[in-house]
């Protein structure tokens, strides 16, 4: 029996969020005595697989037909590997990649799934999982029936696993092209390039609500403050709706969930849907002209005033 | 073309959610309910497809649960759904797996060309049922849709909101598409339409007639109110803020 962790990666490295899922897998395996292994899917995976192997043994599903992460094919391969390796648990970071693919794999396996898990414990040998519900207003404790369990974890709730003393082995999975479905045709990806760190991996996140009215203003204020703090720049739903920022910069219940060391909320009133995406940040700073804005109730430091005046002053003070 | 739109009844997002003191669930005695906002977006999209393509398109709203679900199904009829179908069952134990099982049985019976549904319900926030349904039916799926275009009568181009950006895929019908917030702005049901919908029939099928046994795989043992709230230090100016972040919080 193995605990399988589905890895996400950038050009050559496994993402830190996947390493957080691996950390959970190691802890579960330490109790059950099972083996932990990565499952990496894609095309041309040599460097990614060797990076992954620094942390755990790797099953590599490398095939040109897996170059894009379409749910039909990825779910099929994940289910095939899970069966062949008798996986008891399949873990991944709770990203849109995992949310798209893993429930479909659950259907193929008849598996039970819990998403966005932020904590776990054991009672009488049974795994109890904690996950937010109602936009984070409540925390549920759930149990799963029927193996394998499929679990996505909030990376922000668990530290990334450290490398092993000695790299694990990479074993190729034989992808049989004829068995792969062909239901979803990938056309392309549109994203706004940025030199700043990924929102979910940044130490500092600067975020803004409807205070700024153009992407130029966003850069001038939010971008520059993020750069002064060497952080990422994010926003609320409103700015994406208005076409000022791209969707992948949105923090909240339906956007990204972040928990950086420092979260700076500029002109954000604090709707529960936004709080769901950032309230577990270690230190929250709120700047808002409305002294009664709900954001102050979850902030460590609050400054009442106009973000158009305060943001440049803050940049200047930081660069002093 | 027939479009099936599952519509879940959820507590209104305008009111704070309170957990029952014994942790068994939420205290819904005082709650008002609504169609899950993501499902309302799915219904709106189905209605727009019908408006563009003409009366050959039929829109069927589906509710899974007790008789209380009829109020949301009437809202769906008032918004413009052609039919409303309720699967009568105990909704207190439903999880994404059992919802997908019920929907798969309805799909076999109703034979829709497209299932359009919210990417998640704002009560349990699971984000699973559509994908599980697609997997059970072995249908194509496109999740988190923010734009849906018909290329041909049976081919859809869907823009998907992902963590990496806006991804575009093309799928062939029959398919499952789950909707994200930016797909559209759902219309309101007018008062006269709501009055009229009161007299419209809601077809009811029991879960037993449908031949599905509910075997949930996720069991909620306990619910707690999440702890929120911090002691906010109000600072006078940016100099004090930076000083405190540097020397007190030691975060910069």
């Amino acid at each position: 029996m193995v605990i399988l962790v589905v890895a996400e990666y950038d050009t050559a490295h496994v993402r830190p969020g996947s390493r957080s899922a691996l950390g959970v897998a190691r802890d579960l395996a330490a109790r059950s005595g099972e083996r932990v292994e990565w499952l990496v899917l894609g095309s041309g995976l040599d460097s990614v697989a060797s990076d992954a192997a620094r942390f755990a043994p790797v099953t590599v599903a490398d095939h040109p037909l897996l170059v894009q992460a379409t749910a039909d094919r990825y779910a099929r391969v994940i289910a095939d590997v899970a069966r062949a390796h008798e996986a008891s648990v399949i873990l991944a970071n709770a990203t849109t990649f995992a949310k798209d693919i893993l429930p479909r794999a659950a259907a193929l396996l008849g598996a039970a799934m819990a998403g966005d898990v932020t904590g776990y414990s054991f009672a009488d040998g049974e795994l109890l999982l904690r996950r937010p519900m109602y936009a984070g207003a409540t925390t549920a404790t759930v149990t799963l029936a029927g193996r394998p369990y499929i679990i996505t974890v909030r990376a922000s709730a668990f530290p990334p696993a450290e490398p092993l003393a000695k790299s694990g082995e990479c074993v190729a999975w034989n992808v049989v092209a004829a068995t792969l479905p062909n239901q979803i045709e990938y056309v392309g990806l549109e994203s706004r390039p940025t030199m700043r760190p990924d929102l979910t991996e940044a130490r500092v996140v600067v975020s803004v609500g409807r205070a700024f009215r153009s992407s130029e203003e966003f850069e001038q204020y939010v971008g520059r403050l993020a750069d002064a703090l060497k952080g990422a720049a994010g926003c609320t739903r409103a700015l994406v709706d208005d076409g000022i920022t791209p969707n992948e910069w949105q923090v909240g219940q339906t956007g990204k969930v972040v928990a950086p060391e420092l979260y700076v909320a500029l002109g954000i009133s604090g709707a529960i849907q936004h709080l769901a995406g950032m309230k577990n940040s270690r230190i929250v700073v709120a700047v808002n002209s409305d002294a009664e804005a709900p954001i102050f109730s979850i902030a460590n430091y609050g400054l009442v005033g106009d973000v158009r005046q305060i943001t440049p002053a803050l940049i200047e003070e930081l660069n002093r | 073309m027939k479009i099936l739109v599952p519509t879940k009844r959820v507590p209104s997002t305008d009111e704070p959610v309170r957990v029952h003191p014994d942790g068994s669930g939420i205290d819904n005695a005082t709650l008002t309910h609504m169609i899950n906002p993501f499902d309302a977006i799915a219904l709106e999209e189905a209605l727009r497809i019908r408006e563009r393509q003409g009366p050959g398109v039929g829109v069927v709203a589906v509710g899974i649960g007790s008789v209380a679900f009829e109020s949301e199904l009437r809202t769906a009829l008032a918004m413009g759904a052609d039919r409303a179908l309720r699967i009568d069952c105990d909704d207190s134990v439903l999880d994404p797996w059992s919802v997908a099982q019920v929907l798969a049985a309805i799909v076999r019976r109703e034979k829709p060309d497209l299932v359009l549904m919210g990417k998640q319900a704002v009560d349990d926030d699971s984000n699973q049922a559509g994908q599980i349904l697609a997997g059970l039916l072995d249908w194509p799926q496109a999740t988190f849709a923010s734009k849906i275009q018909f290329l041909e009568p049976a081919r859809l181009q869907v823009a998907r909101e992902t963590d990496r950006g806006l991804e575009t895929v093309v799928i062939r019908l029959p398919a499952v598409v789950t909707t994200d917030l930016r797909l559209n702005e759902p219309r309101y049901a007018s008062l006269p339409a709501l009055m009229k919908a009161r007299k419209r029939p809601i077809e009811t099928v029991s879960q037993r007639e449908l031949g599905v046994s509910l075997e949930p795989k996720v069991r909620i043992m306990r619910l707690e109110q999440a702890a929120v709230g911090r002691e906010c230090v109000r600072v006078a100016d940016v100099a004090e803020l930076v000083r405190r972040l540097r020397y007190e919080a030691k975060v910069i």
Side-chain angles (χ1 to χ4, degrees):
Chain A
M1 303 276 272
V2 302
I3 297 180
L4 208 56
V5 184
V6 181
E8 274 184 86
Y9 48 85
D10 52 30
T11 46
H13 298 280
V14 173
R15 297 208 80 120
S18 295
R19 285 166 47 206
S20 293
L22 183 74
V24 174
R26 281 186 189 166
D27 187 46
L28 296 178
R31 293 161 195 267
S32 64
E34 290 168 297
R35 238 166 62 83
V36 172
E37 67 183 35
W38 288 116
L39 171 55
V40 187
L41 305 97
S43 178
L45 293 176
D46 288 352
S47 55
V48 173
S50 62
D51 179 64
R54 292 165 52 228
F55 302 91
V58 193
T59 295
V60 189
D62 192 335
H63 195 280
L65 288 177
L66 298 177
V67 65
Q68 299 300 340
T70 50
D72 54 345
R73 289 179 185 166
Y74 272 47
R76 176 68 61 88
V77 175
I78 291 167
D80 287 348
V81 173
R83 278 197 201 99
H85 292 202
E86 298 183 335
S88 67
V89 184
I90 302 169
L91 275 157
N93 182 18
T95 59
T96 53
F97 165 89
K99 289 178 180 184
D100 181 44
I101 294 164
L102 289 186
R104 192 176 174 107
L108 304 183
L109 290 163
M113 175 163 174
D116 291 297
V117 166
T118 55
Y120 56 90
S121 57
F122 291 86
D124 302 326
E126 190 167 31
L127 180 60
L128 306 179
L129 299 164
R130 290 168 63 77
R131 59 176 304 271
M133 281 175 46
Y134 298 95
T138 71
T139 307
T141 301
V142 306
T143 58
L144 299 179
R147 297 279 182 161
Y149 296 165
I150 298 187
I151 299 169
T152 67
V153 300
R154 288 257 173 102
S156 55
F158 305 99
E162 296 294 328
L164 301 167
K166 184 175 170 291
S167 279
E169 217 186 333
C170 291
V171 178
W173 173 259
N174 182 25
V175 178
V176 184
T179 66
L180 290 181
N182 189 22
Q183 298 178 340
I184 303 168
E185 182 193 332
Y186 174 90
V187 177
L189 180 77
E190 191 189 308
S191 62
R192 195 181 296 179
T194 172
M195 297 305 284
R196 299 192 183 103
D198 185 273
L199 267 175
T200 57
E201 294 166 11
R203 231 189 118 262
V204 177
V205 173
V206 180
S207 226
V208 71
R210 228 169 211 156
F212 303 117
R213 305 308 307 146
S214 68
S215 52
E216 290 75 25
E217 278 194 351
F218 182 90
E219 272 309 307
Q220 184 191 337
Y221 291 90
V222 189
R224 282 185 56 223
L225 179 56
D227 292 342
L229 290 164
K230 299 184 179 60
C235 61
T236 65
R237 177 188 167 191
L239 278 200
V240 187
D241 284 357
D242 293 348
I244 295 168
T245 44
N247 77 278
E248 67 269 21
W249 295 6
Q250 181 181 325
V251 172
Q253 181 189 18
T254 65
K256 285 180 176 165
V257 176
V258 302
E261 285 289 298
L262 173 62
Y263 190 89
V264 183
L266 300 173
I268 291 175
S269 62
I272 184 171
Q273 289 80 5
H274 183 74
L275 301 188
M278 48 65 71
K279 67 182 178 185
N280 292 321
S281 305
R282 189 170 79 81
I283 298 289
V284 175
V285 170
V287 180
N288 204 299
S289 54
D290 174 8
E292 304 298 320
I295 189 76
F296 288 115
S297 69
I298 67 129
N300 302 82
Y301 300 105
L303 181 50
V304 177
D306 181 355
V307 293
R308 285 174 183 273
Q309 285 155 17
I310 289 173
T311 311
L314 189 51
I315 295 168
E316 196 181 319
E317 184 71 24
L318 286 164
N319 290 338
R320 207 197 271 268
Chain B
M1 181 172 66
K2 190 192 269 191
I3 306 175
L4 206 71
V5 185
T7 49
K8 189 174 184 182
R9 172 182 163 91
V10 298
S12 166
T13 50
D14 295 334
E15 298 162 45
V17 166
R18 294 259 163 265
V19 172
H20 201 271
D22 67 7
S24 61
I26 59 158
D27 195 353
N28 56 12
T30 59
L31 282 178
T32 57
H33 288 78
M34 65 195 293
I35 296 179
N36 172 40
F38 290 97
D39 295 340
I41 291 169
L43 178 56
E44 174 66 33
E45 195 66 17
L47 298 173
R48 290 186 190 186
I49 291 169
R50 189 184 63 194
E51 283 158 8
R52 278 196 299 268
Q53 300 194 0
V57 176
V59 177
V60 184
V62 178
I64 305 171
S66 69
V67 69
F69 277 60
E70 292 200 348
S71 106
E72 281 65 41
L73 285 172
R74 289 197 193 281
T75 306
L77 286 171
M79 281 174 70
D82 297 295
R83 287 168 55 208
L85 178 61
R86 180 171 69 86
I87 312 310
D88 186 54
C89 67
D90 172 12
D91 51 87
S92 67
V93 298
L94 291 176
D95 69 340
W97 176 263
S98 40
V99 166
Q101 294 285 342
V102 171
L103 288 176
I106 299 169
V107 165
R108 285 184 202 110
R109 202 178 154 114
E110 289 284 332
K111 302 191 168 43
D113 302 285
L114 176 61
V115 178
L116 256 180
M117 58 196 283
K119 73 167 183 178
Q120 72 193 67
V122 296
D123 49 3
D124 65 8
D125 285 330
S126 286
N127 196 334
Q128 292 179 27
Q131 298 89 309
I132 297 176
L133 175 65
L136 293 173
L137 296 169
D138 196 23
W139 282 11
Q141 71 182 54
T143 50
F144 328 139
S146 67
K147 193 170 186 192
I148 300 174
Q149 288 167 282
F150 278 82
L151 301 179
E152 294 158 32
R155 262 178 99 222
L156 286 183
Q157 177 163 305
V158 181
R160 305 179 52 233
E161 293 204 359
T162 76
D163 293 342
R164 294 165 57 228
L166 207 57
E167 184 186 289
T168 303
V169 295
V170 171
I171 54 175
R172 203 167 266 288
L173 299 183
V176 177
V177 176
T178 76
T179 55
D180 216 319
L181 288 174
R182 273 174 281 275
L183 182 60
N184 61 48
E185 189 86 43
R187 70 196 66 187
Y188 285 101
S190 70
L191 198 57
L194 282 166
M195 298 297 284
K196 242 170 98 185
R198 278 198 196 170
K199 299 193 192 82
R200 302 258 306 268
I202 290 177
E203 300 158 52
T204 306
V205 182
S206 77
Q207 163 213 333
R208 201 169 318 128
E209 282 172 80
L210 206 56
V212 186
S213 60
L214 294 184
E215 282 155 19
K217 291 176 178 288
V218 181
R219 195 165 147 222
I220 299 174
M221 310 294 286
R222 193 168 60 244
L223 210 57
E224 294 153 63
Q225 203 81 42
V228 280
R230 301 176 194 222
E231 208 56 56
C232 183
V233 175
R234 304 278 181 149
V235 296
D237 51 31
V238 293
E240 183 190 350
L241 177 61
V242 170
R243 198 165 58 240
R244 283 184 183 266
L245 289 177
R246 218 165 250 159
Y247 302 111
E248 192 174 79
K250 296 188 169 58
V251 75
I252 56 173

